[in-house]
Amino acid sequence: MTDQYDIVIIGCGVIGSSIAYHLSEYKQKRILVIDKGFPLSGTSGSTQAWVWVHNKVPSWYGELSMYSAELYPFLERKIGDVEYKRTGGIAPFFAQTDWDKALRLAEEQAEVGIKVEVLTRDQVLEKEPALSPKIAGATYSDMDGNVNPFRLVELYIKAAKRNEVEFSFYNPVTEMVMEKDHYKIYTKNKKDAITTERVILAGGPWSKEIGELLGLDIPVKQVRGQVIITEPLAPFLKHTIGGMRQAENGEVLIGFSKEEVGYDRRTTMDVIQETAQMAINYIPSLAKANIVRSFSGVRVIPEDGFPILGKIPDKKNAYIAAMHSGVTLSPLVGTLMAELVMVGETSICLKRYSLKRFMNYA
Amino acid sequence: MKTDVLIIGGGPAGLNAAIETASRGIKTIIIEESYALGGQLKQQTQFFNNLPKQFDRQRGIHLMRTLIDRLSPLPITCLLKHKMIGVYKDGRIGIANDTETFPIDAKKVIVTTGAAEETDLFPGWTLPGVMTVGAAQILINRERVLPGKNALIVGLNSFSAEVAKQLKACGINILGVMDKTVSVNDKKLVEGLEDKKIRVMVNTVIERATGAGEVKKVTINNDGKKEDLDIDLICIGKGLAPILEPLEILDCEFGFQAKLGGLVPKYYSTLGTSNPSVYVAGNAAGITCLGGILLTAEIAALNALKALGVLNDNEVKVRSSFLWDELRSMESEESIETFIARVAHIKEFHEECELPLPASFHAILEGC
Ligand SMILES: Cc1cc2nc3c(=O)[nH]c(=O)nc-3n(C[C@H](O)[C@H](O)[C@H](O)COP(=O)(O)OP(=O)(O)OC[C@H]3O[C@@H](n4cnc5c(N)ncnc54)[C@H](O)[C@@H]3O)c2cc1C
């Protein structure tokens, strides 16, 4: 590790590591990625990891998710097998009154080219016989799938290393000073500052704290999600279901709870039991499955729910990428951020996602 | 279910804590995941000479009976084959057995979950016939099954040395007890093993274990010299680490103390943790000897009783200082380092919380 870089990325989850890899494809810059823990110690190591498109609304947000999902097969050809599976996604609903909503969703998403089908109960059960006959119907799209986030981050890092990106783990960034044409970055393990022309904040749920180092108030919430996991079961779920998926090794990952409890990664019995009940409502046969463990992760959710992406207004050469659904968006966000930094323009307009939208209120 | 005191883990620490609280008429529930109380005492046939004054010197299994006999006339609920599996948002403890899950509302919780054995990884470590020394001890003393005929013991410490002798007494051929390094403190252990004609191999590591379906051969490396041994049993004794999951979900803070087994919950001289309703004792509070296990349980229970308003300050003060003295002499007998680490651990937490140590503790500090 030297002291001088062109680009320093703070945070090595699915977002930071993707940006690093995509930047490294240009093979022009000296790049360093710093993480306070190990690469999956944040949210990217405690996620459901659906690559989920079909009910992301409004449609412009769905569109972003779709483009990212489209990039996954291409990404795999470049960095290796990340166990991306385009399983198709089913989001069941129980009330007849949800039909209208489902039809509206299909219409809205069609405008941007996302194909969403509204399935009757019989059609759903034909696709996924394990689902409860109590459901009224479901929305379905063959765009949806899931990925192994552990392999994803590992392979991003390996590929980036081949392109000479450097990494520094277990090394929290503690201070940042903006000087005339560069940033000085201080970390716990290094007495002297690291100098860099550009800095990219990819700190996930710690975005607020990292933003504060630059005197910024990043408007994100920390939202805990608890997930329960069954013993390995013989493969019986073909699709990614809005609520659960069966992993390659047979375990079913269940849950999507949301609680604002700060950075507290414990699990609670209340949510575990609610989640188990939800699972049985969806898939009655799961009542017989043993739950072997649970985990929780902390989502970073921007105040308005949509990604914060792009240049940081009023801070020269500083960028940010903070979002929920970062697994879905990872390949696209990496591509666009690399374009932004290297070319100055992006192939998809990022104006809507700028941090600036929150600053107008001030 | 409601209770004053909930004890998690029915080994020697849990039993001794329960005797203390239940004999004061305090409503006490023990939950124990196994089919019976007693914890590791269930298979400890060895003699324990170094026990607190109130116990005669006796074998582990006899001590287990002594504890259970003292407990049985007391009004106490034992939930066998029940596990703590979580905590509700309001702090109630989630308990499950095979058929149901329910909350227990406890004013005070004493965590006495004990320790788990550390393992060692080498190619072939998953073969049947490779097990921990604790597992081998359960097989011979509890299940009455010989785990093998020719054994190699990996790791030298008082527990692995004890099990090596017990296995030998059962007629198992012990090819040796091996370790990377042996410190001067282990001299007594080495002599004890050599007395029993058990070979001690220092500077030795396992390169690999092989065998089809079960372990048959092991390649060891003694300072660069490789040797193949025909064995059908490898017992790993790499020491113990506290079992911490219940303390994690109870939101207790942790600190690192190598001599107490690594990560241990932070606690005060009361054995209270950073969660005001949670106490910790036994090996869960740092790996120690049986005497230490029993005494920490008594200290924790006393302080829980004080916090519940059952005992007055003075009574607790007098008994605590007596118990701490006894704990010091007991732990010093086995390894003074444990006691020093424990006291340092406590002092650190008091300093962090800016909470003065009780006066009686200063004498102990000076002794260290
Ligand atoms: C239960 C749950 C389920 C989810 N399901 C899905 C899903 O199905 N599909 C989907 O797309 N998304 C899902 N998400 C969201 C997704 O996991 C996140 O959006 C994504 O992981 C965020 O990645 P990240 O790289 O931004 O953050 P992180 O992975 O948290 O990475 C941030 C990194 O920054 C580092 N860091 C923080 N502070 C500092 C510092 N001062 N110095 C140095 N480094 C620092 C951290 O150590 C961390 O490694 C889910 C989230 C949860 C919690």
Side-chain angles (χ1 to χ4, degrees):
Chain A
M1 196 165 137
T2 67
D3 291 342
Q4 290 210 344
Y5 293 89
D6 298 316
I7 304 166
V8 166
I9 300 168
I10 303 174
C12 192
V14 285
I15 296 303
S17 62
S18 171
I19 296 173
Y21 163 67
H22 285 97
L23 277 169
S24 78
E25 287 188 300
Y26 291 81
K27 298 193 178 164
Q28 285 174 19
K29 303 285 184 188
R30 286 165 305 171
I31 302 166
L32 172 70
V33 185
I34 309 176
D35 200 290
K36 78 183 173 88
F38 55 94
L40 286 143
S41 56
T43 310
S44 304
S46 52
T47 170
Q48 275 273 14
W50 309 334
V51 176
W52 191 255
V53 177
H54 93 253
N55 53 13
K56 295 282 167 65
V57 284
S59 56
W60 47 261
Y61 178 48
E63 190 179 21
L64 202 68
S65 307
M66 173 176 69
Y67 290 144
S68 197
E70 296 282 25
L71 285 177
Y72 261 107
F74 178 51
L75 178 72
E76 277 198 312
R77 293 179 63 173
K78 294 193 290 177
I79 68 170
D81 179 9
V82 295
E83 292 173 14
Y84 170 65
K85 289 186 300 280
R86 197 169 284 182
T87 58
I90 299 178
F93 53 84
F94 286 86
Q96 285 300 335
T97 47
D98 287 336
W99 271 99
D100 282 349
K101 250 198 278 170
L103 291 168
R104 253 180 286 131
L105 176 76
E107 246 168 63
E108 186 181 348
Q109 302 296 57
E111 282 168 26
V112 291
I114 304 171
K115 198 175 135 218
V116 176
E117 294 171 47
V118 183
L119 304 181
T120 63
R121 187 183 64 196
D122 291 348
Q123 286 170 320
V124 185
L125 293 180
E126 197 178 314
K127 271 196 191 307
E128 196 64 88
L131 278 164
S132 165
K134 291 207 180 103
I135 62 170
T139 50
Y140 169 80
S141 165
D142 58 14
M143 283 285 337
D144 301 322
N146 58 67
V147 67
N148 179 337
F150 296 87
R151 290 197 60 94
L152 179 62
V153 170
E154 185 192 342
L155 291 180
Y156 274 141
I157 293 173
K158 280 196 176 144
K161 278 187 176 163
R162 282 198 294 275
N163 293 340
E164 286 172 12
V165 174
E166 291 175 45
F167 291 84
S168 170
F169 298 137
Y170 298 101
N171 192 17
V173 170
T174 50
E175 204 186 324
M176 273 190 272
V177 184
M178 188 181 161
E179 310 228 310
K180 209 164 141 262
D181 54 359
H182 63 269
Y183 288 87
K184 277 198 158 141
I185 294 180
Y186 293 88
T187 60
K188 189 162 156 247
N189 299 343
K190 206 164 182 302
K191 214 172 92 242
D192 301 320
I194 297 162
T195 354
T196 179
E197 191 189 311
R198 292 160 201 261
V199 62
I200 302 175
L201 313 188
W206 294 275
S207 293
K208 221 183 183 83
E209 288 151 46
I210 299 175
E212 275 164 18
L213 301 178
L214 285 177
L216 296 162
D217 180 16
I218 310 288
V220 290
K221 294 182 284 192
Q222 294 173 325
V223 181
R224 178 168 75 189
Q226 301 190 29
V227 173
I228 61 176
I229 297 164
T230 68
E231 60 196 330
L233 302 168
F236 75 110
L237 285 181
K238 289 197 289 287
H239 299 83
T240 305
I241 317 283
M244 67 195 75
R245 71 176 174 107
Q246 187 168 27
E248 198 102 311
N249 66 357
E251 294 174 341
V252 183
L253 278 71
I254 308 163
F256 48 68
S257 67
K258 291 193 171 145
E259 304 160 275
E260 275 188 58
V261 289
Y263 204 90
D264 178 348
R265 275 184 59 180
R266 287 176 300 147
T267 53
T268 63
M269 287 295 300
D270 315 61
V271 174
I272 288 173
Q273 286 181 300
E274 275 165 31
T275 304
Q277 191 55 55
M278 178 274 285
I280 297 169
N281 291 346
Y282 274 41
I283 301 190
S285 60
L286 278 177
K288 287 195 241 90
N290 285 309
I291 299 300
V292 291
R293 62 194 171 92
S294 60
F295 70 78
S296 83
V298 179
R299 305 176 160 90
V300 50
I301 305 203
E303 294 285 356
D304 61 2
F306 302 111
I308 301 176
L309 269 177
K311 283 188 144 158
I312 296 177
D314 309 329
K315 300 270 183 240
K316 200 175 154 204
N317 290 338
Y319 306 80
I320 182 167
M323 73 213 71
H324 185 50
S325 297
V327 178
T328 303
L329 294 171
S330 164
L332 184 65
V333 164
T335 307
L336 295 176
M337 291 295 286
E339 287 175 357
L340 183 64
V341 173
M342 299 302 299
V343 187
E345 273 174 48
T346 52
S347 47
I348 295 175
C349 175
L350 289 181
K351 198 160 162 243
R352 178 175 260 146
Y353 298 102
S354 169
L355 182 61
K356 210 173 194 143
R357 68 185 187 269
F358 298 100
M359 293 174 156
N360 294 341
Y361 301 108
Chain B
M1 240 182 239
K2 274 194 167 178
T3 186
D4 292 315
V5 175
L6 174 67
I7 294 174
I8 300 172
L15 294 176
N16 211 28
I19 292 170
E20 191 66 37
T21 57
S23 62
R24 301 279 172 167
I26 289 302
K27 184 151 193 228
T28 304
I29 299 178
I30 301 184
I31 60 159
E32 164 55 52
E33 74 174 320
S34 151
Y35 61 91
L37 295 173
Q40 299 308 311
L41 293 178
K42 288 201 286 284
Q43 66 276 350
Q44 288 180 348
T45 50
Q46 67 265 38
F47 242 92
F48 288 95
N49 290 316
N50 186 24
L51 292 179
K53 288 197 189 69
Q54 53 152 316
F55 298 99
D56 299 329
R57 49 189 295 266
Q58 55 190 313
R59 292 182 190 277
I61 36 169
H62 293 155
L63 176 68
M64 169 180 107
R65 276 179 218 137
T66 308
L67 291 168
I68 293 174
D69 286 348
R70 285 189 194 175
L71 200 61
S72 44
L74 302 173
I76 185 169
T77 308
C78 291
L79 301 176
L80 299 178
K81 291 197 200 163
H82 280 70
K83 270 188 247 191
M84 170 189 181
I85 61 161
V87 175
Y88 289 85
K89 273 182 209 144
D90 60 10
R92 287 177 306 162
I93 312 287
I95 307 289
N97 60 11
D98 281 346
T99 51
E100 49 170 1
T101 300
F102 57 90
I104 293 186
D105 188 352
K107 289 188 187 139
K108 299 288 169 203
V109 180
I110 306 179
V111 178
T112 49
T113 39
E117 292 184 87
E118 299 269 39
T119 185
D120 194 19
L121 304 185
F122 46 82
W125 75 288
T126 55
L127 282 169
V130 182
M131 63 185 75
T132 62
V133 282
Q137 197 190 29
I138 289 174
L139 286 175
I140 53 170
N141 293 343
R142 215 159 88 190
E143 311 297 337
R144 312 273 165 177
V145 172
L146 279 187
K149 292 199 181 78
N150 296 297
L152 179 68
I153 317 278
V154 187
L156 175 69
N157 49 58
S158 55
F159 183 45
S160 68
E162 176 58 40
V163 175
K165 289 184 216 165
Q166 292 184 11
L167 291 169
K168 180 152 180 149
C170 292
I172 294 173
N173 175 29
I174 309 286
L175 279 91
V177 178
M178 52 170 272
D179 212 327
K180 248 184 254 169
T181 53
V182 175
S183 79
V184 279
N185 300 340
D186 296 329
K187 212 172 140 226
K188 249 181 26 198
L189 284 181
V190 174
E191 285 168 7
L193 285 167
E194 284 170 350
D195 269 358
K196 299 271 182 219
K197 308 253 173 329
I198 296 174
R199 179 177 160 208
V200 178
M201 306 186 268
V202 285
N203 294 329
T204 308
V205 291
I206 288 197
E207 297 239 309
R208 83 182 62 84
T210 49
E214 60 185 308
V215 63
K216 283 286 176 216
K217 221 188 228 0
V218 59
T219 308
I220 58 172
N221 183 332
N222 181 330
D223 237 354
K225 215 179 92 233
K226 288 186 192 173
E227 191 183 342
D228 281 344
L229 301 175
D230 289 322
I231 42 90
D232 57 1
L233 174 63
I234 299 178
C235 299
I236 302 170
K238 283 280 167 176
L240 301 172
I243 292 176
L244 303 174
E245 285 89 343
L247 294 151
E248 278 168 24
I249 39 187
L250 284 162
D251 208 15
C252 297
E253 290 170 26
F254 296 88
F256 190 85
Q257 285 291 344
K259 293 287 184 247
L260 292 178
L263 216 52
V264 259
K266 295 180 180 174
Y267 50 84
Y268 305 105
S269 61
T270 57
L271 293 197
T273 66
S274 60
N275 177 336
S277 59
V278 177
Y279 294 77
V280 63
N283 273 340
I287 305 305
T288 178
C289 52
L290 186 50
I293 289 172
L294 294 164
L295 289 166
T296 49
E298 249 175 278
I299 297 171
L302 269 182
N303 284 290
L305 288 171
K306 179 177 138 185
L308 286 168
V310 180
L311 295 179
N312 70 40
D313 279 14
N314 210 34
E315 201 176 347
V316 174
K317 211 187 274 167
V318 173
R319 272 200 58 206
S320 290
S321 88
F322 173 79
L323 289 168
W324 273 104
D325 265 347
E326 209 181 3
L327 182 60
R328 172 177 45 196
S329 75
M330 208 126 283
E331 287 189 336
S332 311
E333 180 97 0
E334 307 271 333
S335 140
I336 182 73
E337 287 172 340
T338 306
F339 189 72
I340 292 174
R342 188 190 295 286
V343 170
H345 189 62
I346 290 173
K347 192 169 163 242
E348 250 169 51
F349 192 38
H350 276 264
E351 275 165 9
E352 186 188 319
C353 306
E354 295 179 5
L355 196 80
L357 279 162
S360 59
F361 223 77
H362 290 291
I364 291 172
L365 283 177
E366 273 154 33
C368 291

PDB file of all heavy atoms in Angstrom, chain B residues 222-236:
ATOM      1  N   ASN B 222       7.169 -34.412  13.098  1.00  0.00           N
ATOM      2  CA  ASN B 222       7.895 -34.058  14.311  1.00  0.00           C
ATOM      3  C   ASN B 222       9.133 -33.283  13.907  1.00  0.00           C
ATOM      4  O   ASN B 222      10.118 -33.879  13.470  1.00  0.00           O
ATOM      5  CB  ASN B 222       8.253 -35.344  15.078  1.00  0.00           C
ATOM      6  CG  ASN B 222       8.998 -35.039  16.362  1.00  0.00           C
ATOM      7  OD1 ASN B 222       9.722 -34.053  16.453  1.00  0.00           O
ATOM      8  ND2 ASN B 222       8.822 -35.882  17.351  1.00  0.00           N
ATOM      9  N   ASP B 223       9.024 -31.952  14.024  1.00  0.00           N
ATOM     10  CA  ASP B 223      10.168 -31.106  13.709  1.00  0.00           C
ATOM     11  C   ASP B 223      10.758 -31.402  12.336  1.00  0.00           C
ATOM     12  O   ASP B 223      11.981 -31.446  12.179  1.00  0.00           O
ATOM     13  CB  ASP B 223      11.255 -31.317  14.768  1.00  0.00           C
ATOM     14  CG  ASP B 223      11.618 -29.989  15.417  1.00  0.00           C
ATOM     15  OD1 ASP B 223      11.104 -28.955  14.948  1.00  0.00           O
ATOM     16  OD2 ASP B 223      12.393 -30.000  16.388  1.00  0.00           O
ATOM     17  N   GLY B 224       9.899 -31.642  11.363  1.00  0.00           N
ATOM     18  CA  GLY B 224      10.395 -31.928  10.006  1.00  0.00           C
ATOM     19  C   GLY B 224      10.478 -33.407   9.695  1.00  0.00           C
ATOM     20  O   GLY B 224      10.538 -33.801   8.541  1.00  0.00           O
ATOM     21  N   LYS B 225      10.480 -34.240  10.739  1.00  0.00           N
ATOM     22  CA  LYS B 225      10.563 -35.682  10.501  1.00  0.00           C
ATOM     23  C   LYS B 225       9.151 -36.259  10.417  1.00  0.00           C
ATOM     24  O   LYS B 225       8.375 -36.150  11.354  1.00  0.00           O
ATOM     25  CB  LYS B 225      11.336 -36.345  11.648  1.00  0.00           C
ATOM     26  CG  LYS B 225      12.186 -37.529  11.175  1.00  0.00           C
ATOM     27  CD  LYS B 225      12.968 -38.166  12.339  1.00  0.00           C
ATOM     28  CE  LYS B 225      12.204 -39.297  12.972  1.00  0.00           C
ATOM     29  NZ  LYS B 225      12.016 -39.258  14.385  1.00  0.00           N
ATOM     30  N   LYS B 226       8.856 -36.875   9.256  1.00  0.00           N
ATOM     31  CA  LYS B 226       7.502 -37.394   9.086  1.00  0.00           C
ATOM     32  C   LYS B 226       7.420 -38.847   9.507  1.00  0.00           C
ATOM     33  O   LYS B 226       8.367 -39.607   9.340  1.00  0.00           O
ATOM     34  CB  LYS B 226       7.066 -37.259   7.625  1.00  0.00           C
ATOM     35  CG  LYS B 226       6.806 -35.818   7.278  1.00  0.00           C
ATOM     36  CD  LYS B 226       6.236 -35.654   5.904  1.00  0.00           C
ATOM     37  CE  LYS B 226       6.295 -34.169   5.556  1.00  0.00           C
ATOM     38  NZ  LYS B 226       5.927 -33.915   4.184  1.00  0.00           N
ATOM     39  N   GLU B 227       6.272 -39.200  10.036  1.00  0.00           N
ATOM     40  CA  GLU B 227       6.087 -40.574  10.497  1.00  0.00           C
ATOM     41  C   GLU B 227       4.621 -40.954  10.256  1.00  0.00           C
ATOM     42  O   GLU B 227       3.724 -40.145  10.488  1.00  0.00           O
ATOM     43  CB  GLU B 227       6.403 -40.627  12.001  1.00  0.00           C
ATOM     44  CG  GLU B 227       6.513 -42.038  12.565  1.00  0.00           C
ATOM     45  CD  GLU B 227       6.752 -42.041  14.084  1.00  0.00           C
ATOM     46  OE1 GLU B 227       7.171 -40.993  14.644  1.00  0.00           O
ATOM     47  OE2 GLU B 227       6.496 -43.071  14.708  1.00  0.00           O
ATOM     48  N   ASP B 228       4.399 -42.186   9.782  1.00  0.00           N
ATOM     49  CA  ASP B 228       3.030 -42.682   9.611  1.00  0.00           C
ATOM     50  C   ASP B 228       2.686 -43.589  10.778  1.00  0.00           C
ATOM     51  O   ASP B 228       3.470 -44.457  11.148  1.00  0.00           O
ATOM     52  CB  ASP B 228       2.916 -43.514   8.321  1.00  0.00           C
ATOM     53  CG  ASP B 228       2.809 -42.625   7.102  1.00  0.00           C
ATOM     54  OD1 ASP B 228       2.522 -41.413   7.283  1.00  0.00           O
ATOM     55  OD2 ASP B 228       3.008 -43.124   5.982  1.00  0.00           O
ATOM     56  N   LEU B 229       1.510 -43.372  11.359  1.00  0.00           N
ATOM     57  CA  LEU B 229       1.077 -44.240  12.460  1.00  0.00           C
ATOM     58  C   LEU B 229      -0.225 -44.907  12.072  1.00  0.00           C
ATOM     59  O   LEU B 229      -1.100 -44.295  11.460  1.00  0.00           O
ATOM     60  CB  LEU B 229       0.855 -43.413  13.733  1.00  0.00           C
ATOM     61  CG  LEU B 229       2.035 -42.611  14.299  1.00  0.00           C
ATOM     62  CD1 LEU B 229       1.583 -41.769  15.474  1.00  0.00           C
ATOM     63  CD2 LEU B 229       3.164 -43.560  14.707  1.00  0.00           C
ATOM     64  N   ASP B 230      -0.363 -46.186  12.431  1.00  0.00           N
ATOM     65  CA  ASP B 230      -1.637 -46.884  12.228  1.00  0.00           C
ATOM     66  C   ASP B 230      -2.500 -46.625  13.450  1.00  0.00           C
ATOM     67  O   ASP B 230      -2.138 -47.015  14.563  1.00  0.00           O
ATOM     68  CB  ASP B 230      -1.397 -48.401  12.091  1.00  0.00           C
ATOM     69  CG  ASP B 230      -0.722 -48.712  10.769  1.00  0.00           C
ATOM     70  OD1 ASP B 230      -1.066 -48.054   9.772  1.00  0.00           O
ATOM     71  OD2 ASP B 230       0.162 -49.594  10.748  1.00  0.00           O
ATOM     72  N   ILE B 231      -3.597 -45.954  13.259  1.00  0.00           N
ATOM     73  CA  ILE B 231      -4.486 -45.641  14.382  1.00  0.00           C
ATOM     74  C   ILE B 231      -5.933 -45.817  13.905  1.00  0.00           C
ATOM     75  O   ILE B 231      -6.202 -45.907  12.700  1.00  0.00           O
ATOM     76  CB  ILE B 231      -4.307 -44.182  14.876  1.00  0.00           C
ATOM     77  CG1 ILE B 231      -4.170 -43.216  13.702  1.00  0.00           C
ATOM     78  CG2 ILE B 231      -3.093 -44.024  15.774  1.00  0.00           C
ATOM     79  CD1 ILE B 231      -5.393 -42.665  13.218  1.00  0.00           C
ATOM     80  N   ASP B 232      -6.860 -45.907  14.820  1.00  0.00           N
ATOM     81  CA  ASP B 232      -8.268 -45.859  14.424  1.00  0.00           C
ATOM     82  C   ASP B 232      -9.039 -44.834  15.267  1.00  0.00           C
ATOM     83  O   ASP B 232     -10.267 -44.811  15.261  1.00  0.00           O
ATOM     84  CB  ASP B 232      -8.918 -47.248  14.520  1.00  0.00           C
ATOM     85  CG  ASP B 232      -8.790 -47.836  15.911  1.00  0.00           C
ATOM     86  OD1 ASP B 232      -8.224 -47.173  16.792  1.00  0.00           O
ATOM     87  OD2 ASP B 232      -9.286 -48.964  16.121  1.00  0.00           O
ATOM     88  N   LEU B 233      -8.269 -44.004  15.981  1.00  0.00           N
ATOM     89  CA  LEU B 233      -8.924 -42.984  16.813  1.00  0.00           C
ATOM     90  C   LEU B 233      -7.979 -41.795  16.965  1.00  0.00           C
ATOM     91  O   LEU B 233      -6.808 -41.965  17.307  1.00  0.00           O
ATOM     92  CB  LEU B 233      -9.239 -43.586  18.196  1.00  0.00           C
ATOM     93  CG  LEU B 233      -9.800 -42.657  19.268  1.00  0.00           C
ATOM     94  CD1 LEU B 233     -11.154 -42.091  18.857  1.00  0.00           C
ATOM     95  CD2 LEU B 233      -9.949 -43.422  20.601  1.00  0.00           C
ATOM     96  N   ILE B 234      -8.488 -40.616  16.643  1.00  0.00           N
ATOM     97  CA  ILE B 234      -7.735 -39.388  16.915  1.00  0.00           C
ATOM     98  C   ILE B 234      -8.610 -38.534  17.822  1.00  0.00           C
ATOM     99  O   ILE B 234      -9.763 -38.241  17.488  1.00  0.00           O
ATOM    100  CB  ILE B 234      -7.406 -38.612  15.623  1.00  0.00           C
ATOM    101  CG1 ILE B 234      -6.534 -39.463  14.696  1.00  0.00           C
ATOM    102  CG2 ILE B 234      -6.707 -37.297  15.953  1.00  0.00           C
ATOM    103  CD1 ILE B 234      -6.201 -38.799  13.369  1.00  0.00           C
ATOM    104  N   CYS B 235      -8.091 -38.190  18.999  1.00  0.00           N
ATOM    105  CA  CYS B 235      -8.861 -37.355  19.920  1.00  0.00           C
ATOM    106  C   CYS B 235      -8.238 -35.967  19.956  1.00  0.00           C
ATOM    107  O   CYS B 235      -7.051 -35.830  20.240  1.00  0.00           O
ATOM    108  CB  CYS B 235      -8.847 -37.940  21.330  1.00  0.00           C
ATOM    109  SG  CYS B 235      -9.569 -39.575  21.396  1.00  0.00           S
ATOM    110  N   ILE B 236      -9.055 -34.961  19.665  1.00  0.00           N
ATOM    111  CA  ILE B 236      -8.546 -33.594  19.619  1.00  0.00           C
ATOM    112  C   ILE B 236      -8.866 -32.885  20.933  1.00  0.00           C
ATOM    113  O   ILE B 236     -10.018 -32.803  21.341  1.00  0.00           O
ATOM    114  CB  ILE B 236      -9.172 -32.826  18.448  1.00  0.00           C
ATOM    115  CG1 ILE B 236      -8.866 -33.569  17.140  1.00  0.00           C
ATOM    116  CG2 ILE B 236      -8.642 -31.402  18.390  1.00  0.00           C
ATOM    117  CD1 ILE B 236      -9.624 -33.048  15.956  1.00  0.00           C
TER     118      ILE B 236
END
